[in-house]
Amino acid sequence: MNRLGYATRLNTTMPIAPETRFTQARDLELREVPEGYVVYERTRDRLHFLNGAAAFVLQCCDGTTRADELPAMLAAAFRLTADPVAEVDACLARLVSEQLVEGELPPPA
């Protein structure tokens, strides 16, 4: 497992564009539990278990925060000595694969 609590076997060969803005899926309930966080998807009646860092990333997926801003935000929130770029990319890839978030590129200027 990596620092975000996800197995490192995820296929992250397709890099996430830095300007991608992620939004949470509709009807998610995020609750803190002793071992981390539980996310309940009402629409699919599914439970997901996240650690604190993954839950932080999920909560930052508000449609306004860019993907390239997330590592620095996570590092500041958890007082890390370096920005966890690869870990955040893997976390976002997993959140996308679990359909908890969707990414969207901003329209061309």
Side-chain angles (χ1 to χ4, degrees), residues 87-107:
E87 292 85 355
V88 168
D89 282 351
C91 180
L92 287 169
R94 182 64 184 257
L95 293 172
V96 167
S97 74
E98 293 292 331
Q99 300 177 4
L100 296 176
V101 299
E102 295 178 348
E104 186 174 309
L105 291 170

Side-chain angles (χ1 to χ4, degrees), residues 56 60 62 65-66 68-78 83:
F56 179 87
C60 289
D62 57 6
T65 304
R66 293 167 34 129
D68 62 350
E69 297 171 320
L70 290 171
M73 292 170 64
L74 183 65
F78 286 82
D83 292 353

Side-chain angles (χ1 to χ4, degrees), residues 1-2 9 12 25 29 34 38 40 52 59 64 68 71 75 85 90 95 98 107:
M1 294 241 179
N2 65 22
R9 62 181 165 73
T12 56
E29 286 184 36
V38 173
Y40 176 61
Q59 289 175 317
T64 62
D68 62 350
V85 176
L95 293 172
E98 293 292 331

Side-chain angles (χ1 to χ4, degrees), residues 26-82:
R26 298 179 64 135
D27 296 324
L28 296 182
E29 286 184 36
L30 181 65
R31 302 233 186 243
E32 189 170 5
V33 295
E35 299 83 26
Y37 290 82
V38 173
V39 178
Y40 176 61
E41 275 184 276
R42 286 183 235 169
T43 56
R44 297 190 317 159
D45 194 32
R46 290 185 63 189
L47 281 179
H48 304 269
F49 297 92
L50 307 177
N51 68 13
F56 179 87
V57 171
L58 177 64
Q59 289 175 317
C60 289
C61 293
D62 57 6
T64 62
T65 304
R66 293 167 34 129
D68 62 350
E69 297 171 320
L70 290 171
M73 292 170 64
L74 183 65
F78 286 82
R79 298 182 181 167
L80 303 176
T81 56

